Amino acid sequence: MTRIYFNDVVTRDGFQIEPNFIPTEDKIRLINELSLCGFAKIEVTSFTSPKAIPMLRDAEEVMGKIKRLPGVEYTVLVPNLRGAERALESRADEFNLVMSTSETHNLANLRMTREKSFAGLAEVIQYVDGRTPINVSLSTAFGCPMEGEVPQEVVEGFVKRFSDLGVRGLTICDTTGMANPAQVTKMSESLQRLFPKLQLTMHFHNTRGMGLANVLAAVQAGIIRFDGSLGGLGGCPYAPGASGNISSEDAIHMLDAMGYDTGIDISRLLVLARELPAIVGHAVPGQVAKAGRTCDLHPAPDFISDLR
Ligand code: COA
Ligand code: ZN
């Protein structure tokens, strides 16, 4: 049975775009519950400028108060050197550096050119100097909502440059749900062939309903690491039309039904997913929490016994 590793990003990718501040205590409780569900990794928060992402201005407090379970990696998003200093102080298990493969999206999201971002992140990697494993998330790798197509060679070029700097992993992000399964197959096969030693993670958004099809395409191409978000919340505040990540519970339910080992207690996860609307104050896109699992059967109506 192939083992698939899930990273839940709801408290970072999900909450960064929420219209209302989620109370710190709710974030901590949610992360503690996610740990108990069996996630391999949880992206807890981001050490970005609190002016840029005010929803995550409580990053230090959240990192300081969560209960860390052995076997779960607690990762944080780090945009620059200042973020790395804060993340080191918080003793995060992994730093997730971020830049975009599209020049326009990088300018909108990080206020600098891709080359300036690369140079800044290279400086962060040098500063961290192996004290904490580093992952780099490459945004808009399957297309940019402002520029359109991002050639696969451009994505591979950045993967190569970060790989040469010694990072542990790369996450290939479909920031605004533009990827299709054929493209995912091609990208997954090529990256694994070119970079067999890197930890590769796929990060899909379900903006156009292709999220789970893309997960399947990636799994069938040999990818074993995925980002997902409880309830399917999420989105980049600097990407027009961005909407939710793939729902962790929907993706895990699908893979579970197909016989993959996700290591997740899905009943427990669904209990948590059903609490999410009350935490954020609105309905969430995830479907399995509403419909129940395929194995959660309903009683048949009484009248059919007369018809048997
Ligand atoms: N943590 C805390 N404060 C930070 C910071 C960090 N990592 N990086 C910058 N700042 C502060 C600076 O101290 C400065 O504060 P001041 O105005 O009180 O002096 C202010 O932010 C501006 O700093 P500057 O270096 O000019 O950065 P910037 O405004 O160009 O911001 C980013 C650069 C990338 C840090 C910022 O745009 C950001 O955090 N963006 C969010 C990216 C993101 O998470 N997007 C969604 C996920 S993909
Ligand atoms: Zn995302």
Side-chain angles (χ1 to χ4, degrees), residues 242-282:
S243 72
N245 289 67
I246 56 157
S247 140
S248 290
E249 65 276 17
D250 289 2
I252 289 161
H253 171 267
M254 175 183 82
L255 293 172
D256 201 65
M258 293 177 72
Y260 289 96
D261 173 16
T262 61
I264 305 274
D265 179 344
I266 182 116
S267 326
R268 187 161 198 149
L269 183 60
L270 287 173
V271 170
L272 199 53
R274 289 179 183 124
E275 289 173 13
L276 194 58
I279 297 173
V280 295
H282 57 79

Short mmCIF file of all heavy atoms in Angstrom, two decimals, residues 242-282:
data_model
loop_
_atom_site.label_atom_id
_atom_site.label_comp_id
_atom_site.label_asym_id
_atom_site.label_seq_id
_atom_site.Cartn_x
_atom_site.Cartn_y
_atom_site.Cartn_z
N ALA A 242 -8.51 34.05 -6.73
CA ALA A 242 -8.04 32.87 -6.00
C ALA A 242 -9.16 32.32 -5.13
O ALA A 242 -9.94 33.08 -4.56
CB ALA A 242 -6.85 33.24 -5.12
N SER A 243 -9.26 31.00 -5.07
CA SER A 243 -10.20 30.40 -4.12
C SER A 243 -9.55 29.17 -3.53
O SER A 243 -8.36 28.95 -3.71
CB SER A 243 -11.53 30.09 -4.80
OG SER A 243 -11.37 29.01 -5.65
N GLY A 244 -10.35 28.36 -2.85
CA GLY A 244 -9.83 27.38 -1.92
C GLY A 244 -8.88 26.34 -2.45
O GLY A 244 -8.88 25.94 -3.61
N ASN A 245 -8.05 25.87 -1.53
CA ASN A 245 -7.19 24.70 -1.76
C ASN A 245 -8.08 23.48 -1.96
O ASN A 245 -9.26 23.50 -1.62
CB ASN A 245 -6.33 24.44 -0.52
CG ASN A 245 -5.26 25.47 -0.32
OD1 ASN A 245 -5.54 26.63 -0.04
ND2 ASN A 245 -4.03 25.05 -0.47
N ILE A 246 -7.48 22.39 -2.39
CA ILE A 246 -8.22 21.13 -2.32
C ILE A 246 -8.53 20.88 -0.85
O ILE A 246 -7.73 21.20 0.02
CB ILE A 246 -7.44 19.94 -2.92
CG1 ILE A 246 -6.07 19.78 -2.24
CG2 ILE A 246 -7.32 20.05 -4.41
CD1 ILE A 246 -5.51 18.38 -2.36
N SER A 247 -9.70 20.32 -0.61
CA SER A 247 -10.08 20.01 0.77
C SER A 247 -9.29 18.77 1.21
O SER A 247 -9.31 17.75 0.53
CB SER A 247 -11.59 19.77 0.81
OG SER A 247 -11.90 18.71 1.65
N SER A 248 -8.59 18.89 2.33
CA SER A 248 -7.80 17.74 2.82
C SER A 248 -8.68 16.51 2.95
O SER A 248 -8.33 15.42 2.50
CB SER A 248 -7.20 18.04 4.19
OG SER A 248 -6.19 18.99 4.10
N GLU A 249 -9.86 16.70 3.60
CA GLU A 249 -10.68 15.51 3.89
C GLU A 249 -11.24 14.88 2.62
O GLU A 249 -11.36 13.66 2.54
CB GLU A 249 -11.78 15.84 4.92
CG GLU A 249 -12.85 16.81 4.50
CD GLU A 249 -12.47 18.28 4.68
OE1 GLU A 249 -11.27 18.58 4.83
OE2 GLU A 249 -13.37 19.14 4.63
N ASP A 250 -11.54 15.69 1.59
CA ASP A 250 -12.05 15.12 0.34
C ASP A 250 -10.95 14.32 -0.37
O ASP A 250 -11.18 13.22 -0.88
CB ASP A 250 -12.58 16.21 -0.60
CG ASP A 250 -13.89 16.84 -0.10
OD1 ASP A 250 -14.36 16.45 0.99
OD2 ASP A 250 -14.43 17.72 -0.80
N ALA A 251 -9.74 14.89 -0.40
CA ALA A 251 -8.63 14.22 -1.07
C ALA A 251 -8.25 12.93 -0.32
O ALA A 251 -8.01 11.88 -0.92
CB ALA A 251 -7.43 15.15 -1.16
N ILE A 252 -8.21 13.03 1.01
CA ILE A 252 -7.82 11.88 1.83
C ILE A 252 -8.89 10.79 1.72
O ILE A 252 -8.57 9.60 1.59
CB ILE A 252 -7.59 12.33 3.29
CG1 ILE A 252 -6.29 13.15 3.35
CG2 ILE A 252 -7.54 11.14 4.26
CD1 ILE A 252 -6.14 14.04 4.57
N HIS A 253 -10.15 11.19 1.72
CA HIS A 253 -11.25 10.23 1.56
C HIS A 253 -11.13 9.51 0.22
O HIS A 253 -11.28 8.28 0.15
CB HIS A 253 -12.59 10.98 1.67
CG HIS A 253 -13.78 10.15 1.31
ND1 HIS A 253 -14.32 10.12 0.04
CD2 HIS A 253 -14.53 9.29 2.05
CE1 HIS A 253 -15.35 9.28 0.03
NE2 HIS A 253 -15.50 8.77 1.23
N MET A 254 -10.82 10.24 -0.83
CA MET A 254 -10.69 9.62 -2.16
C MET A 254 -9.54 8.61 -2.16
O MET A 254 -9.72 7.46 -2.60
CB MET A 254 -10.43 10.70 -3.22
CG MET A 254 -10.16 10.13 -4.61
SD MET A 254 -9.77 11.40 -5.83
CE MET A 254 -8.01 11.64 -5.51
N LEU A 255 -8.39 9.01 -1.66
CA LEU A 255 -7.21 8.14 -1.70
C LEU A 255 -7.41 6.92 -0.80
O LEU A 255 -7.02 5.79 -1.14
CB LEU A 255 -5.96 8.92 -1.31
CG LEU A 255 -5.56 10.01 -2.32
CD1 LEU A 255 -4.43 10.86 -1.77
CD2 LEU A 255 -5.15 9.40 -3.67
N ASP A 256 -8.05 7.16 0.35
CA ASP A 256 -8.38 6.10 1.29
C ASP A 256 -9.28 5.05 0.61
O ASP A 256 -9.03 3.85 0.68
CB ASP A 256 -9.11 6.77 2.46
CG ASP A 256 -9.09 5.96 3.71
OD1 ASP A 256 -7.99 5.77 4.24
OD2 ASP A 256 -10.17 5.51 4.14
N ALA A 257 -10.31 5.54 -0.08
CA ALA A 257 -11.25 4.64 -0.76
C ALA A 257 -10.54 3.84 -1.85
O ALA A 257 -10.93 2.72 -2.16
CB ALA A 257 -12.40 5.45 -1.36
N MET A 258 -9.47 4.41 -2.42
CA MET A 258 -8.74 3.72 -3.49
C MET A 258 -7.69 2.77 -2.94
O MET A 258 -7.01 2.09 -3.71
CB MET A 258 -8.04 4.75 -4.38
CG MET A 258 -9.01 5.60 -5.18
SD MET A 258 -8.13 6.84 -6.14
CE MET A 258 -7.39 5.81 -7.39
N GLY A 259 -7.52 2.76 -1.60
CA GLY A 259 -6.59 1.81 -0.99
C GLY A 259 -5.22 2.37 -0.68
O GLY A 259 -4.31 1.63 -0.32
N TYR A 260 -5.04 3.69 -0.80
CA TYR A 260 -3.76 4.30 -0.39
C TYR A 260 -3.74 4.47 1.12
O TYR A 260 -4.78 4.65 1.75
CB TYR A 260 -3.57 5.66 -1.06
CG TYR A 260 -3.31 5.57 -2.54
CD1 TYR A 260 -4.36 5.72 -3.45
CD2 TYR A 260 -2.04 5.33 -3.05
CE1 TYR A 260 -4.14 5.62 -4.83
CE2 TYR A 260 -1.81 5.23 -4.41
CZ TYR A 260 -2.86 5.39 -5.30
OH TYR A 260 -2.63 5.29 -6.64
N ASP A 261 -2.53 4.45 1.69
CA ASP A 261 -2.38 4.65 3.14
C ASP A 261 -2.01 6.11 3.39
O ASP A 261 -0.90 6.53 3.09
CB ASP A 261 -1.27 3.71 3.65
CG ASP A 261 -0.92 3.97 5.11
OD1 ASP A 261 -1.70 4.66 5.80
OD2 ASP A 261 0.15 3.49 5.54
N THR A 262 -2.96 6.87 3.94
CA THR A 262 -2.71 8.29 4.19
C THR A 262 -2.30 8.54 5.64
O THR A 262 -1.91 9.66 5.98
CB THR A 262 -3.97 9.14 3.91
OG1 THR A 262 -5.01 8.69 4.78
CG2 THR A 262 -4.42 9.02 2.47
N GLY A 263 -2.41 7.53 6.48
CA GLY A 263 -2.05 7.68 7.89
C GLY A 263 -3.02 8.54 8.67
O GLY A 263 -2.75 8.91 9.80
N ILE A 264 -4.15 8.91 8.06
CA ILE A 264 -5.08 9.85 8.69
C ILE A 264 -6.31 9.12 9.24
O ILE A 264 -6.86 8.24 8.58
CB ILE A 264 -5.57 10.91 7.66
CG1 ILE A 264 -4.39 11.63 7.01
CG2 ILE A 264 -6.57 11.88 8.28
CD1 ILE A 264 -3.84 12.81 7.72
N ASP A 265 -6.72 9.54 10.44
CA ASP A 265 -7.97 9.07 11.02
C ASP A 265 -9.09 9.92 10.42
O ASP A 265 -9.37 11.02 10.88
CB ASP A 265 -7.91 9.24 12.54
CG ASP A 265 -9.18 8.79 13.24
OD1 ASP A 265 -10.22 8.64 12.57
OD2 ASP A 265 -9.13 8.61 14.48
N ILE A 266 -9.71 9.37 9.36
CA ILE A 266 -10.65 10.19 8.58
C ILE A 266 -11.93 10.54 9.37
O ILE A 266 -12.46 11.64 9.22
CB ILE A 266 -10.97 9.54 7.20
CG1 ILE A 266 -11.92 10.40 6.36
CG2 ILE A 266 -11.51 8.16 7.30
CD1 ILE A 266 -11.33 10.92 5.11
N SER A 267 -12.38 9.64 10.26
CA SER A 267 -13.59 9.97 11.04
C SER A 267 -13.31 11.18 11.92
O SER A 267 -14.12 12.11 12.03
CB SER A 267 -14.04 8.83 11.95
OG SER A 267 -13.78 7.61 11.38
N ARG A 268 -12.14 11.17 12.54
CA ARG A 268 -11.74 12.27 13.41
C ARG A 268 -11.61 13.58 12.60
O ARG A 268 -12.02 14.66 13.04
CB ARG A 268 -10.40 11.91 14.05
CG ARG A 268 -9.98 12.88 15.07
CD ARG A 268 -8.93 12.30 16.00
NE ARG A 268 -8.91 13.13 17.18
CZ ARG A 268 -8.63 12.72 18.39
NH1 ARG A 268 -8.32 11.46 18.60
NH2 ARG A 268 -8.64 13.55 19.40
N LEU A 269 -11.05 13.44 11.41
CA LEU A 269 -10.86 14.61 10.54
C LEU A 269 -12.21 15.20 10.13
O LEU A 269 -12.38 16.42 10.06
CB LEU A 269 -10.05 14.19 9.31
CG LEU A 269 -9.70 15.29 8.32
CD1 LEU A 269 -8.87 16.38 8.96
CD2 LEU A 269 -8.96 14.70 7.11
N LEU A 270 -13.18 14.32 9.88
CA LEU A 270 -14.50 14.81 9.46
C LEU A 270 -15.22 15.53 10.60
O LEU A 270 -15.92 16.52 10.37
CB LEU A 270 -15.35 13.66 8.92
CG LEU A 270 -14.91 13.17 7.53
CD1 LEU A 270 -15.67 11.92 7.12
CD2 LEU A 270 -15.07 14.26 6.47
N VAL A 271 -15.01 15.05 11.82
CA VAL A 271 -15.59 15.75 12.98
C VAL A 271 -15.06 17.19 13.01
O VAL A 271 -15.81 18.16 13.17
CB VAL A 271 -15.25 15.01 14.30
CG1 VAL A 271 -15.62 15.85 15.51
CG2 VAL A 271 -15.93 13.64 14.35
N LEU A 272 -13.77 17.31 12.77
CA LEU A 272 -13.11 18.63 12.79
C LEU A 272 -13.61 19.50 11.63
O LEU A 272 -13.91 20.70 11.81
CB LEU A 272 -11.60 18.40 12.69
CG LEU A 272 -10.69 19.52 13.12
CD1 LEU A 272 -11.01 19.99 14.52
CD2 LEU A 272 -9.23 19.05 13.04
N ALA A 273 -13.71 18.89 10.45
CA ALA A 273 -14.18 19.64 9.27
C ALA A 273 -15.59 20.19 9.49
O ALA A 273 -15.91 21.28 9.05
CB ALA A 273 -14.15 18.74 8.04
N ARG A 274 -16.40 19.43 10.24
CA ARG A 274 -17.77 19.88 10.48
C ARG A 274 -17.84 21.01 11.50
O ARG A 274 -18.83 21.72 11.57
CB ARG A 274 -18.64 18.70 10.93
CG ARG A 274 -18.89 17.73 9.78
CD ARG A 274 -19.72 16.51 10.16
NE ARG A 274 -19.82 15.63 9.00
CZ ARG A 274 -19.46 14.34 8.99
NH1 ARG A 274 -19.03 13.76 10.08
NH2 ARG A 274 -19.57 13.65 7.88
N GLU A 275 -16.76 21.19 12.25
CA GLU A 275 -16.72 22.32 13.20
C GLU A 275 -16.23 23.61 12.54
O GLU A 275 -16.38 24.70 13.09
CB GLU A 275 -15.77 21.99 14.37
CG GLU A 275 -16.30 20.93 15.29
CD GLU A 275 -15.26 20.52 16.33
OE1 GLU A 275 -14.23 21.21 16.49
OE2 GLU A 275 -15.48 19.47 16.97
N LEU A 276 -15.61 23.48 11.37
CA LEU A 276 -14.96 24.63 10.75
C LEU A 276 -15.91 25.79 10.41
O LEU A 276 -15.57 26.95 10.66
CB LEU A 276 -14.17 24.16 9.51
CG LEU A 276 -13.16 25.13 8.93
CD1 LEU A 276 -12.11 25.54 9.95
CD2 LEU A 276 -12.49 24.53 7.69
N PRO A 277 -17.10 25.52 9.86
CA PRO A 277 -18.00 26.65 9.55
C PRO A 277 -18.28 27.53 10.77
O PRO A 277 -18.34 28.76 10.65
CB PRO A 277 -19.28 25.96 9.04
CG PRO A 277 -18.80 24.66 8.49
CD PRO A 277 -17.66 24.24 9.38
N ALA A 278 -18.40 26.92 11.95
CA ALA A 278 -18.66 27.72 13.16
C ALA A 278 -17.42 28.57 13.52
O ALA A 278 -17.55 29.68 14.02
CB ALA A 278 -19.02 26.80 14.32
N ILE A 279 -16.23 28.04 13.23
CA ILE A 279 -15.00 28.79 13.56
C ILE A 279 -14.83 29.99 12.63
O ILE A 279 -14.51 31.09 13.06
CB ILE A 279 -13.76 27.86 13.48
CG1 ILE A 279 -13.85 26.75 14.53
CG2 ILE A 279 -12.46 28.65 13.66
CD1 ILE A 279 -12.78 25.68 14.43
N VAL A 280 -15.09 29.79 11.32
CA VAL A 280 -14.85 30.88 10.37
C VAL A 280 -16.11 31.73 10.12
O VAL A 280 -16.03 32.80 9.52
CB VAL A 280 -14.27 30.37 9.02
CG1 VAL A 280 -12.88 29.79 9.24
CG2 VAL A 280 -15.19 29.35 8.35
N GLY A 281 -17.26 31.21 10.54
CA GLY A 281 -18.49 32.00 10.41
C GLY A 281 -19.14 31.94 9.04
O GLY A 281 -19.94 32.80 8.68
N HIS A 282 -18.80 30.94 8.25
CA HIS A 282 -19.48 30.77 6.96
C HIS A 282 -19.33 29.32 6.49
O HIS A 282 -18.51 28.57 7.04
CB HIS A 282 -18.93 31.74 5.90
CG HIS A 282 -17.45 31.62 5.66
ND1 HIS A 282 -16.90 30.63 4.89
CD2 HIS A 282 -16.41 32.35 6.13
CE1 HIS A 282 -15.57 30.78 4.88
NE2 HIS A 282 -15.26 31.81 5.63
#
